[in-house]
């Protein structure tokens, strides 16, 4: 067989095996495609009227793209993709999840190509005896392991995490171009223009999907330090690389660090809406990173979940005792990455890739402590060296078969675990039941289980009473396991009100105490509005003064003294004043305060304009509308502005708006 024929056969076998990995991935995820929207899917997709587009007109697309409020950029590319899903198939979660799976499969192909290029560069620089067949086999194993790994499930079946996978797609394409161009520079050929294109095109696209896309230059630097080490055939190319990384990584890194240090008060204030402080987060995250590493290397799906609020916060270096060892262990990993750069550069690449992938979401910023989807791209850094050393045929040949068998067994284990998780994601009840069984001390999981029992309806009185008792049990559990968690108490009140049962006064007392003194969640304003609705519908039978005290107590809470959370609570007070007190001038004044507290939140200003119009304050309404237009620089609210202009015109002419 000639070398050309061998190469063709190798390519055919590679293509067939890659196709098998893609089909296997589809099959293991298939049960979960029938599942429902969960958690943050609801505010971002289900309750987001602006993605419910009926045409592909520019105004509709622009409004949908700018309808997000996650992150500083709003993630417009991801929001636009949700709108296109809605336009094509309506609000059916199956097709949203299927789109996510398609993106995941494309990302898997991208992982394969990137692995091929990295291993080819590694052969050129460090291991010339590595054969093309070995490179393809290792790349296929890395691709299959990544595609089938159960830790990636939430980036596929949790619809809103398309933000994560879509951002990763563009990062992978940018890194593929970068490695390809760097190989050309090693060979003395042109590649600088391609590096610039990869940066200038794919970094913005990735960041518009999710802000973690801004890490792409840092990932490029990791590849440079570990794999290429600033080597190039031409001196001019080496100078370019030094300048490139100086401008794209070193300078921005210094500026961001200087800003954070000089605005430490702002950074600490951003934690007002969280159940933890900056210090607690910094102490806890090293333990979380080790949790991630353990789950990547040898996953245990009983430890995985949508929520991880049952993981205790670190209160000090020895509370819990694993805190200090975790910090020291991370330091040891960094040292290992540095000392391995010459003898085991893939180890350096992998460790740095993983750690740098967490530099935004697992460090100082006031995000939730744990989320599995944060490992979607960083996981590649662990799987690449892991499967390289399992399948590398040049050393310890006597263990090669054993190592290859271990690699295949791991991939099979990943596939089985993902399939098992996908089964539980096939309907909301099974998902909630599995989550609470695996995380009995999670307040959120107990609350989700209770919510699922609340939604079950039957004509059998005995079953209805059973479902009520189960819902009550899980709400009580969610209240008991976390002294800061208020949603269980809201759930108990609303549950009994819906069933026509008496409210336990102790629930109201405890809720008032927690709303006033405990760190409350970001959705507390929505929960208070639900209570107002319950009272308006004459179901809750609360003393109106007590209900107002709940809202004002929340406003007095130290954790609601600024930001969006306070504005939402303030708006719930306005909602109370309109619907319970019927005091419209007072509600208007409260809405003015809400806008003052959150001037960047256009939805509150729009509500204020509606209040002003209805109450006949047309001149002030016009001034606010002009301000609204100026703030709506991207014309995301063009349709709403048109409606308000019409209402103002009708109000001026004496018609009822």
């Amino acid at each position: 067989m000639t070398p050309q024929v061998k190469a063709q056969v190798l390519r055919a076998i590679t293509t067939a095996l890659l196709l098998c990995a893609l089909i296997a991935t589809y099959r293991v995820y298939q049960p979960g495609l029938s599942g429902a929207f969960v958690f943050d899917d609801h505010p971002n997709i289900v309750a987001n009227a602006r993605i419910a587009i009926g045409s592909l007109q520019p105004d509709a697309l622009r409004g949908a793209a700018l309808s997000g409020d996650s992150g500083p950029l709003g993630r417009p590319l991801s929001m636009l993709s949700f709108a296109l899903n809605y336009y094509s198939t309506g609000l059916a979660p199956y097709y949203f999840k299927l789109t996510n799976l398609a993106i995941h499969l494309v990302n898997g192909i991208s992982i394969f190509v990137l692995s091929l290029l990295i291993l080819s560069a590694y052969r050129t620089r460090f291991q010339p005896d590595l054969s093309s067949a070995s490179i393809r086999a290792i790349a296929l194993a890395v691709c299959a392991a990544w595609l089938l790994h159960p830790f990636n499930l939430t980036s596929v079946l949790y619809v809103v995490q398309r933000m994560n996978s879509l951002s990763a797609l563009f990062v992978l394409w940018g890194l593929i171009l970068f490695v390809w161009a760097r190989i050309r520079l090693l060979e003395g050929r042109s590649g600088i223009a391609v590096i610039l294109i990869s940066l200038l095109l794919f970094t913005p696209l990735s960041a518009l999907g999710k802000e973690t896309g801004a890490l792409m230059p840092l990932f490029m630097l990791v590849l440079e330090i570990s794999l290429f080490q600033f080597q190039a055939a031409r001196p001019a190319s080496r100078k370019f690389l030094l300048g490139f990384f100086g401008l794209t990584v070193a300078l921005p890194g210094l500026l961001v660090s200087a800003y954070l240090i000089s605005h430490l008060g702002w950074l600490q204030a951003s934690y007002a809406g969280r159940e933890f402080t900056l210090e607690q987060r910094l102490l806890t995250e090293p333990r979380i990173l080790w949790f991630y590493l353990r789950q990547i290397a040898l996953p245990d799906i009983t430890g995985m979940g949508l929520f991880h609020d049952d993981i205790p916060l670190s209160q000090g270096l020895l509370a819990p005792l694993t805190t200090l060892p975790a910090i020291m262990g991370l330091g040891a990993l960094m040292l290992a990455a540095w000392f391995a750069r010459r003898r085991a550069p893939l180890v350096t690449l992998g460790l740095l890739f993983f750690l740098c992938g967490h530099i935004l979401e697992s460090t100082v910023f006031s995000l939730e402590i744990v989320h599995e989807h944060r490992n979607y791209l960083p996981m590649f850094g662990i799987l690449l060296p892991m499967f390289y050393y399992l399948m590398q045929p040049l050393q310890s040949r006597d263990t090669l078969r054993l190592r290859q068998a271990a690699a295949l067994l791991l991939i099979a284990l990943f596939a089985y675990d993902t399939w098992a998780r996908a089964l539980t994601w096939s309907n909301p009840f099974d998902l909630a039941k599995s989550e609470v069984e695996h995380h009995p001390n999670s307040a959120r999981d107990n609350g989700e289980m209770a919510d699922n029992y609340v939604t079950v309806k039957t004509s059998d009185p005995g079953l209805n009473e059973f479902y009520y008792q189960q819902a009550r049990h899980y709400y009580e559990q969610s209240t008991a396991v976390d002294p800061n968690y208020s949603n269980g108490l809201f759930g108990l009140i609303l549950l009994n009100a819906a069933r026509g049962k008496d409210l336990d006064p102790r629930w109201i007392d405890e809720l008032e105490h927690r709303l006033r003194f405990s760190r409350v969640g970001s959705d507390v304003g929505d929960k208070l509005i639900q209570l107002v609705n319950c009272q308006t519908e004459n179901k809750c039978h609360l003393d109106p003064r007590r209900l107002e005290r709940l809202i004002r107590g929340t406003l007095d809470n130290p954790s609601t003294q600024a930001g969006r959370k306070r504005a939402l609570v303030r708006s719930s007070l306005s909602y109370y004043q309109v619907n319970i007190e019927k005091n419209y001038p007072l509600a208007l004044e409260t809405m003015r305060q809400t806008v003052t507290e959150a001037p960047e939140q256009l939805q509150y200003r729009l509500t204020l304009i509606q209040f002003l119009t209805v109450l006949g304050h047309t001149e002030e309404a016009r001034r606010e509308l002009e301000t609204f237009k100026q703030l709506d620089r991207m014309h995301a609210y063009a349709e709403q502005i048109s409606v308000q202009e019409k209402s103002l015109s009708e109000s001026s002419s004496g018609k009822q708006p």
Side-chain angles (χ1 to χ4, degrees):
M1 189 181 293
T2 65
Q4 292 83 359
V5 173
K6 285 183 179 180
Q8 290 176 353
V9 170
L10 182 59
R11 282 195 293 270
I13 293 173
T14 302
T15 302
L17 290 175
L18 179 60
L19 184 60
C20 287
L22 296 173
I23 293 171
T25 303
Y26 171 78
R27 294 293 293 176
V28 300
Y29 273 103
Q30 191 175 17
L33 297 178
S34 62
F37 291 114
V38 298
F39 194 40
D40 279 347
D41 290 343
H42 292 281
N44 286 282
I45 299 170
V46 180
N48 184 358
R50 294 169 67 195
I51 71 159
I53 59 175
S55 74
L56 299 180
Q57 294 298 315
D59 284 349
L61 294 175
R62 183 170 53 244
L66 300 175
S67 65
D69 60 2
S70 299
L73 300 179
R75 304 175 187 178
L77 203 57
S78 298
M79 301 308 298
L80 179 60
S81 76
F82 296 141
L84 294 175
N85 252 130
Y86 181 91
Y87 178 78
S88 302
T89 57
L91 204 57
Y94 176 90
Y95 295 102
F96 281 82
K97 292 173 188 278
L98 186 63
T99 303
N100 281 19
L101 180 55
I103 293 171
H104 184 59
L105 295 176
V106 174
N107 283 344
I109 297 171
S110 305
I111 287 284
F112 172 70
V113 175
L114 180 59
S115 299
L116 277 181
L117 288 168
I118 288 174
L119 291 169
S120 297
Y122 176 74
R123 175 174 60 183
T124 300
R125 294 272 296 124
F126 301 100
Q127 192 63 269
D129 295 333
L130 194 62
S131 68
S132 296
S134 295
I135 286 175
R136 288 174 179 270
I138 296 166
L140 277 169
V142 173
C143 166
W146 186 87
L147 277 169
L148 294 164
H149 202 291
F151 225 30
N152 277 339
L153 179 134
T154 52
S155 292
V156 178
L157 297 183
Y158 183 10
V159 176
V160 78
Q161 291 314 323
R162 182 184 305 175
M163 297 173 177
N164 194 52
S165 60
L166 194 60
S167 175
L169 173 67
F170 295 116
V171 170
L172 288 169
W173 288 357
L175 294 182
I176 286 169
L177 280 183
F178 173 78
V179 177
W180 180 79
R182 279 299 284 118
I183 293 173
R184 289 177 62 87
L185 292 182
L186 281 177
E187 297 169 347
R189 295 189 289 170
S190 62
I192 290 176
V194 175
I195 291 175
L196 292 174
I197 289 171
S198 69
L199 175 80
L200 298 175
L201 175 61
F202 290 113
T203 303
L205 284 174
S206 181
L208 292 174
K210 186 179 179 180
E211 291 74 16
T212 47
L215 292 176
M216 190 162 72
L218 188 57
F219 286 132
M220 291 178 174
L221 180 60
V222 167
L223 290 166
E224 186 64 51
I225 289 173
S226 58
L227 198 59
F228 300 105
Q229 299 175 357
F230 295 94
Q231 296 300 307
R234 299 173 184 172
S237 297
R238 289 197 292 273
K239 291 180 181 178
F240 162 78
L241 291 166
L242 290 170
F244 176 80
F245 288 112
L247 288 173
T248 61
V249 180
L251 182 59
L254 287 172
L255 291 175
V256 170
S257 299
Y259 180 86
L260 292 176
I261 292 170
S262 62
H263 292 76
L264 193 58
W266 165 82
L267 188 62
Q268 290 175 322
S270 68
Y271 281 79
R274 291 296 180 188
E275 296 78 27
F276 48 86
T277 64
L278 171 61
E279 293 76 12
Q280 288 172 330
R281 180 180 176 82
L282 289 174
L283 287 170
T284 306
E285 283 302 330
R287 292 170 42 232
I288 302 306
L289 290 174
W290 281 107
F291 165 73
Y292 293 155
L293 284 168
R294 185 174 70 252
Q295 290 286 15
I296 292 170
L298 195 60
D300 173 14
I301 61 173
T302 64
M304 298 180 190
L306 195 57
F307 307 118
H308 292 276
D309 53 308
D310 53 341
I311 296 179
L313 295 170
S314 290
Q315 308 293 339
L317 289 174
L318 296 175
L321 289 173
T322 52
T323 303
L324 183 58
I327 295 171
M328 295 175 66
L330 283 185
L333 279 185
M334 294 177 194
L335 286 174
W338 174 253
F339 286 114
R341 70 190 189 283
R342 299 195 185 279
R343 298 192 61 183
L346 289 181
V347 171
T348 300
L349 188 160
L351 291 175
L352 292 181
F353 197 96
F354 173 79
L355 292 172
C356 289
H358 283 282
I359 205 165
L360 285 182
E361 295 182 297
S362 300
T363 52
V364 299
F365 298 105
S366 59
L367 305 171
E368 291 201 25
I369 294 289
V370 191
H371 272 308
E372 293 172 9
H373 64 259
R374 292 173 186 168
N375 294 277
Y376 189 72
L377 195 53
M379 183 192 301
F380 171 69
I382 304 303
L383 296 180
L384 178 64
M386 180 175 163
F387 280 87
Y388 171 79
Y389 285 107
L390 282 173
M391 301 188 65
Q392 198 256 58
L394 300 178
Q395 296 173 347
S396 304
R397 291 179 182 272
D398 54 333
T399 64
L400 177 59
R401 296 298 182 195
L402 183 62
R403 287 185 283 118
Q404 289 175 337
L408 291 174
L409 185 62
L410 268 177
I411 293 171
L413 173 67
F414 294 170
Y416 176 80
D417 283 349
T418 301
W419 173 79
R421 288 195 80 189
L423 278 178
T424 65
W425 280 69
S426 62
N427 68 77
F429 189 87
D430 284 347
L431 174 60
K433 186 172 184 292
S434 171
E435 296 281 298
V436 81
E437 286 175 352
H438 294 159
H439 301 273
N441 293 319
S442 164
R444 285 180 169 183
D445 282 323
N446 278 283
E448 286 290 313
M449 188 73 255
D451 290 344
N452 274 273
Y453 274 113
V454 168
T455 60
V456 179
K457 297 290 188 292
T458 176
S459 57
D460 186 331
L463 276 179
N464 272 329
E465 180 62 21
F466 171 76
Y467 295 143
Y468 163 77
Q469 292 296 339
Q470 289 296 304
R472 177 168 175 167
H473 165 74
Y474 283 108
Y475 280 137
E476 288 174 342
Q477 280 293 103
S478 73
T479 301
V481 296
D482 186 348
N484 290 317
Y485 194 71
S486 300
N487 286 9
L489 292 163
F490 280 110
L492 286 167
I493 294 168
L494 295 170
L495 170 67
N496 272 34
R499 300 298 177 106
K501 295 178 180 288
D502 292 337
L503 304 183
D504 190 329
R506 292 173 298 178
W507 299 341
I508 314 297
D509 294 340
E510 179 63 19
L511 180 60
E512 183 174 359
H513 176 81
R514 293 192 183 193
L515 291 180
R516 186 177 292 273
F517 298 109
S518 299
R519 282 181 172 268
V520 294
S522 57
D523 61 345
V524 65
D526 290 324
K527 295 295 182 182
L528 288 167
I529 288 174
Q530 288 181 39
L531 275 191
V532 174
N533 281 332
C534 181
Q535 186 79 357
T536 304
E537 293 165 3
N538 201 29
K539 292 179 179 178
C540 278
H541 308 297
L542 292 169
D543 181 342
R545 292 170 297 180
R546 191 72 187 276
L547 179 54
E548 182 179 11
R549 224 165 51 228
L550 290 175
I551 300 173
R552 293 194 179 277
T554 310
L555 286 171
D556 291 338
N557 189 305
S559 68
T560 58
Q561 292 310 297
R564 296 180 179 181
K565 186 194 295 186
R566 182 172 182 81
L568 183 55
V569 175
R570 178 80 71 186
S571 72
S572 75
L573 177 60
S574 177
Y575 194 73
Y576 165 85
Q577 291 162 341
V578 166
N579 291 280
I580 305 297
E581 287 191 335
K582 310 296 184 183
N583 190 333
Y584 304 115
L586 186 58
L588 174 61
E589 183 56 36
T590 301
M591 208 63 223
R592 288 190 180 111
Q593 293 175 13
T594 304
V595 170
T596 301
E597 289 173 342
E600 77 288 352
Q601 293 292 294
L602 294 184
Q603 188 58 48
Y604 296 134
R605 195 176 294 271
L606 184 62
T607 303
L608 174 60
I609 293 168
Q610 293 167 343
F611 272 30
L612 290 167
T613 304
V614 169
L615 294 176
H617 300 271
T618 53
E619 289 306 314
E620 185 181 354
R622 286 196 175 91
R623 291 196 300 271
E624 287 293 342
L625 187 58
E626 287 303 313
T627 303
F628 189 94
K629 289 179 182 178
Q630 294 170 14
L631 292 172
D632 185 29
R633 298 180 183 88
M634 302 297 292
H635 306 291
Y637 287 83
E639 185 177 346
Q640 290 88 338
I641 288 172
S642 176
V643 169
Q644 290 310 307
E645 287 177 333
K646 182 180 179 182
S647 294
L648 277 170
S649 176
E650 291 175 347
S651 179
S652 299
S653 61
K655 296 180 181 179
Q656 181 67 32

